[in-house]
Amino acid sequence: MPLLDVQDLRVHFPVRGPLWSRPTVVRAVDGVSLTVEAGEAVGLVGESGCGKTTLGRAILRLVEPTAGRIVFDGREVTKLERGALRGLRRRMQMVFQDPFNSLNPRRTVGESVGEALDIHRLAPNRAARSERIAGLLTRVGLDPAHADRYPHEFSGGQRQRIGIARALAVDPQLLVCDEPVSALDVSVQAQVINLLRDVQRERGLAYLFISHDLAVVEHFCQRIAVMYLGRVVETGPARAVCRQPRHPYTQALLSAVPVVDPQSKRTRIILTGEVPSPLAPPPGCPFHPRCPVAEGRCRTEAPALRIGRDGRAAACHLAAD
Amino acid sequence: MPLLDIRDLRIDFGSTRVVDGVSLSLAEGGCLAMVGESGCGKSVTALSIARLLPTPPARYAAGEIALQGRDVLRMTPAELRAIRGGVVSYVFQEPGASLNPVLRVGEQIRETLRLHRPREAGETEVARLLKQVGIPAPEQRTRDYPHQLSGGMQQRVMIAMALAAAPKLLVADEPTTALDVTIQAQIIELLAELRRQLGMAILLITHNLGIVGDLADRVAVMYAGQIVEEAATGDLLRRPLHPYTQALLRSAPVLGRKQDRLEAIPGTVPVPGQWPAGCRFAPRCPMARAECREQVPVLAPRGGDRLVRCPFAET
Ligand SMILES: Nc1ncnc2c1ncn2[C@@H]1O[C@H](COP(=O)(O)OP(=O)(O)OP(=O)(O)O)[C@@H](O)[C@H]1O
Ligand SMILES: Nc1ncnc2c1ncn2[C@@H]1O[C@H](COP(=O)(O)OP(=O)(O)O)[C@@H](O)[C@H]1O
Ligand code: SF4
Ligand code: SF4
Ligand SMILES: [Mg+2]
Ligand SMILES: [Mg+2]
């Protein structure tokens, strides 16, 4: 049984259009199924606005799902009463992209990390509490003597380490990381990714790792799910998907990744057009208006995502399985 | 005569030096990339070309910036107005923040045209510019407000506005950092195409070494206010010589490469005012030795067409 099992999840936001028009919905997440095993890192990639953050937030019930099921460690998250959510959040934590906005500027770093311990009553007394805070700060590579400093006294990479320490404080089983390294320079990004991998191994942590950087996801994750307009269009083992993508969208996404090697003669698939709006997703295959190999039926028939024996799947009429 | 020739430029903010002896040269129609971690002084250097830094707090402490042979640092306000847009135009990272939110995009482009090419400031030229940057149905788009456009479209509009002035030099400061890889690829392709078509020179500022190879002829790597290596793009990417360039190239994960740990650079970029004595990279350099903490390395020629600020770099 997977640690996290998301089934046909939908998150629709009601939006008001122009005065005279009928109220409508943004289909931010529109039928996503996905699993994460204990200790596994699953990468979630896709262009801006495709629903990655909304999916991550829905899994923690930070936004209410419209339909579908989320089962975490055998319990149905979607059915939990509001009051039971605290227990859930002890076992699932979120790490955000912008470490600055996710830390309270008026709290010292020690207070921010300690707050998580207090909410879940994880430190029996003051001595145990400071000892745990010091241990957590040391673990993420910060000087425990800096516990009484404020967030603005730290660099971006250090602030992200503080965010990780705070998430680890409650000893979770799953971390949902939303673009945790996107705001960092490559050199510091590498430090943070190495840290995340070390704690994964030490604690058997699982990750849902949201990123738009395919090279980072291929490096860090065992499996990958590619999202487009609120749906998963391809999924499978990270290396296999990156080496031989089957969905035309994944192929385009991979070919657009800049490569340093000036020698490499890749043919780049430059997608024309923009991501269509989740207010009015196209009929048939949602990718057909931009797909370089679309054919007649793509405009009317929506392709299904069926997972094959090799653990791979691509929602495309033409994808070879 | 190069189009742009920056000689030994030094810039202070208050009493803190942030750009410390930068020299750069860019020929007409050429493309030079400036790379390095954030806070190294790339944007400050770029903004100085049209003297766009607020003075105070900024102060041009020394050096010269020759644009078409004339020193920008000695220009009168009228001369500066003429080169801004007309000779050098800018495109920045956040297109949304640079566009006027209450003005239709067509009107914003027309305003630039009125300033620089008044006789052509009409609907047709606005539509042509939008078409040139790859905006579909440009006649309709001119009536849109910026918020009605996606990030990629907004960046195209910014580029159209920069082109409206028909500049000789386009300074693109992290033009694709805020965009998706698919849209990033479109914008880089567009810049390369415009350079071919219009013979416009480009100064590309980025921290992504991956996009450098597609566009630039030469690359200057900056660290702590100085250039530490400058070379032809192919040479620099294939065989980086400065330990910082090497470390930068090694730290990014590469698609298809199996590696258990990434090779991070330990520590962080020192902030201005706290640059270490001796070699500024020494505290993070895997090759550092005792001398490095005392001797200040100079930017010296190394094999042909390359400059390296490290006496111990192998050639
Ligand atoms: N509270 C909300 N109300 C209405 N629409 C919303 C809301 N939150 C998100 N959306 C819309 O849902 C879609 C998915 O948004 P989401 O933030 O999940 O995308 P994302 O994949 O995380 O994008 P990015 O890469 O830019 O972070 C977008 O079209 C967004 O505008
Ligand atoms: N207006 C300003 N006032 C004070 N310091 C500034 C200002 N603008 C930039 N700096 C400082 O100058 C240094 C170089 O900045 P910048 O050129 O923006 O770096 P980069 O573009 O390489 O990331 C940084 O340390 C930055 O904090
Ligand atoms: S189903 Fe058709 S439009 Fe969709 S990805 Fe496959 S070929 Fe392209
Ligand atoms: S001078 Fe010394 S510390 Fe500086 S880059 Fe060279 S080897 Fe490294
Ligand atoms: Mg997001
Ligand atoms: Mg900058």
Side-chain angles (χ1 to χ4, degrees):
Chain A
M1 190 178 66
L3 176 66
L4 175 72
D5 190 359
V6 176
Q7 298 162 8
D8 201 25
L9 193 76
R10 282 161 214 271
V11 184
H12 295 174
F13 296 107
V15 285
R16 246 186 303 160
L19 268 183
W20 53 87
S21 67
R22 280 185 294 145
T24 169
V25 294
V26 178
R27 299 163 172 274
V29 174
D30 206 21
V32 167
S33 298
L34 173 103
T35 58
V36 181
E37 303 288 335
E40 184 188 35
V42 175
L44 198 58
V45 300
E47 285 166 288
S48 184
C50 72
K52 307 179 294 294
T53 298
T54 305
L55 175 61
R57 291 172 60 84
I59 290 170
L60 275 97
R61 288 265 311 264
L62 294 169
V63 11
E64 284 305 317
T66 312
R69 261 159 54 95
I70 301 165
V71 181
F72 180 72
D73 202 15
R75 290 176 66 196
E76 192 166 342
V77 173
T78 17
K79 287 215 178 107
L80 289 181
E81 296 292 322
R82 283 253 139 231
L85 288 176
R86 199 173 71 185
L88 172 77
R89 300 229 173 94
R90 196 190 142 185
R91 301 167 66 205
M92 275 198 239
Q93 284 279 312
M94 192 137 179
V95 173
F96 300 92
Q97 164 169 5
D98 189 341
F100 202 62
N101 291 338
S102 61
L103 290 169
N104 185 335
R106 278 181 294 277
R107 282 229 174 100
T108 67
V109 163
E111 283 164 2
S112 279
V113 176
E115 186 190 29
L117 295 172
D118 301 339
I119 293 174
H120 299 283
R121 300 194 195 89
L122 294 176
N125 53 52
R126 282 188 72 86
R129 187 174 180 272
S130 356
E131 197 179 313
R132 281 216 43 182
I133 293 170
L136 284 159
L137 291 178
T138 311
R139 182 60 204 91
V140 298
L142 294 171
D143 185 347
H146 292 171
D148 53 2
R149 296 198 178 174
Y150 290 88
H152 73 265
E153 299 176 67
F154 293 89
S155 70
Q158 288 172 323
R159 287 196 288 256
Q160 197 52 287
R161 290 169 191 274
I162 298 164
I164 294 167
R166 194 176 52 166
L168 292 178
V170 300
D171 217 357
Q173 290 162 285
L174 174 72
L175 280 192
V176 176
C177 299
D178 192 0
E179 309 265 10
V181 296
S182 307
L184 308 175
D185 276 314
V186 280
S187 61
V188 178
Q189 171 178 311
Q191 298 170 2
V192 173
I193 291 171
N194 287 343
L195 169 67
L196 290 173
R197 173 160 287 180
D198 291 342
V199 294
Q200 178 187 25
R201 289 192 179 149
E202 285 164 23
R203 304 171 172 233
L205 254 185
Y207 290 96
L208 184 63
F209 188 92
I210 299 172
S211 176
H212 61 263
D213 187 333
L214 276 149
V216 167
V217 167
E218 188 203 24
H219 169 78
F220 185 71
C221 299
Q222 286 79 56
R223 275 193 307 128
I224 191 171
V226 181
M227 276 184 81
Y228 190 77
L229 268 184
R231 298 175 216 191
V232 173
V233 295
E234 177 155 14
T235 178
R239 302 207 127 257
V241 170
C242 289
R243 203 166 25 220
Q244 266 185 334
R246 290 179 185 164
H247 195 284
Y249 177 62
T250 318
Q251 288 164 359
L253 214 51
L254 278 159
S255 82
V257 173
V259 284
V260 168
D261 183 4
Q263 228 74 333
S264 88
K265 291 271 175 287
R266 290 183 315 164
T267 34
R268 193 168 265 182
I269 309 164
I270 297 211
L271 287 179
T272 50
E274 313 270 326
V275 189
S277 158
L279 271 171
C285 172
F287 187 53
H288 86 253
R290 297 169 84 196
C291 180
V293 293
E295 40 181 58
R297 61 179 160 161
C298 302
R299 279 178 269 281
T300 50
E301 274 172 60
L305 186 77
R306 267 186 296 272
I307 302 195
R309 257 175 297 143
D310 56 358
R312 297 192 57 175
C316 169
H317 295 309
L318 305 185
D321 17 28
Chain B
M1 180 181 70
L3 172 65
L4 173 71
D5 200 12
I6 301 180
R7 284 288 136 226
D8 198 30
L9 182 66
R10 289 164 206 266
I11 299 171
D12 296 343
F13 277 100
S15 58
T16 312
R17 171 112 341 143
V18 300
V19 170
D20 197 20
V22 165
S23 299
L24 284 175
S25 170
L26 180 55
E28 281 212 23
C31 178
L32 172 75
M34 229 197 299
V35 302
E37 288 168 280
S38 54
C40 285
K42 306 183 295 294
S43 297
V44 170
T45 305
L47 288 170
S48 70
I49 297 169
R51 243 167 79 188
L52 293 178
L53 294 168
T55 45
R59 192 171 69 88
Y60 297 93
E64 66 169 48
I65 302 170
L67 194 60
Q68 295 180 313
R70 289 161 52 234
D71 189 357
V72 173
L73 298 181
R74 289 161 195 276
M75 283 185 184
T76 62
E79 289 174 308
L80 281 175
R81 272 196 301 279
I83 63 151
R84 288 178 189 156
V87 183
V88 49
S89 277
Y90 285 80
V91 174
F92 298 103
Q93 173 171 347
E94 292 287 345
S98 318
L99 288 166
N100 183 341
V102 297
L103 217 54
R104 297 175 199 275
V105 297
E107 194 47 41
Q108 300 194 41
I109 295 173
R110 195 155 31 234
E111 229 166 57
T112 313
L113 281 171
R114 265 188 225 115
L115 218 54
H116 296 278
R117 293 189 284 145
R119 265 174 309 170
E120 289 159 277
E123 288 282 342
T124 353
E125 181 61 8
V126 171
R128 191 192 66 81
L129 284 163
L130 286 174
K131 190 153 182 252
Q132 184 167 43
V133 296
I135 290 185
E139 288 82 2
Q140 279 115 64
R141 287 291 163 193
T142 58
R143 278 186 289 278
D144 283 352
Y145 289 97
H147 75 266
Q148 293 173 283
L149 303 174
S150 67
M153 286 286 189
Q154 289 178 353
Q155 196 56 291
R156 288 173 193 269
V157 170
M158 283 306 301
I159 296 172
M161 265 168 80
L163 296 181
K168 292 265 181 257
L169 169 63
L170 182 71
V171 180
D173 190 350
E174 310 266 7
T176 63
T177 305
L179 306 174
D180 281 310
V181 280
T182 49
I183 311 299
Q184 168 172 299
Q186 295 175 358
I187 298 288
I188 293 299
E189 184 76 11
L190 169 65
L191 289 175
E193 178 61 32
L194 291 172
R195 187 184 159 203
R196 276 194 297 272
Q197 267 180 23
L198 309 175
M200 179 178 71
I202 297 177
L203 178 63
L204 173 71
I205 294 162
T206 177
H207 63 260
N208 185 346
L209 278 159
I211 66 174
V212 164
D214 290 331
L215 204 56
D217 322 314
R218 293 187 69 79
V219 181
V221 182
M222 278 192 81
Y223 189 78
Q226 298 180 321
I227 291 175
V228 295
E229 179 162 7
E230 207 220 292
T233 307
D235 294 343
L236 185 119
L237 296 179
R238 264 194 300 276
R239 216 164 55 84
L241 290 186
H242 194 283
Y244 178 60
T245 317
Q246 294 173 343
L248 212 52
L249 278 162
R250 274 198 308 259
S251 62
V254 175
L255 271 175
R257 186 202 284 166
K258 236 194 175 117
Q259 81 194 116
D260 185 51
R261 294 182 72 73
L262 296 174
E263 294 187 53
I265 309 179
T268 47
V269 181
V271 298
Q274 295 178 19
W275 290 331
C279 174
R280 292 175 189 175
F281 187 53
R284 307 174 75 194
C285 179
M287 289 170 49
R289 41 188 104 182
E291 302 99 286
C292 299
R293 300 190 183 256
E294 285 143 31
Q295 281 163 31
V296 178
V298 293
L299 188 65
R302 275 301 175 91
D305 198 17
R306 182 189 281 235
L307 297 167
V308 180
R309 191 185 292 277
C310 171
F312 308 111
E314 286 162 29
T315 20

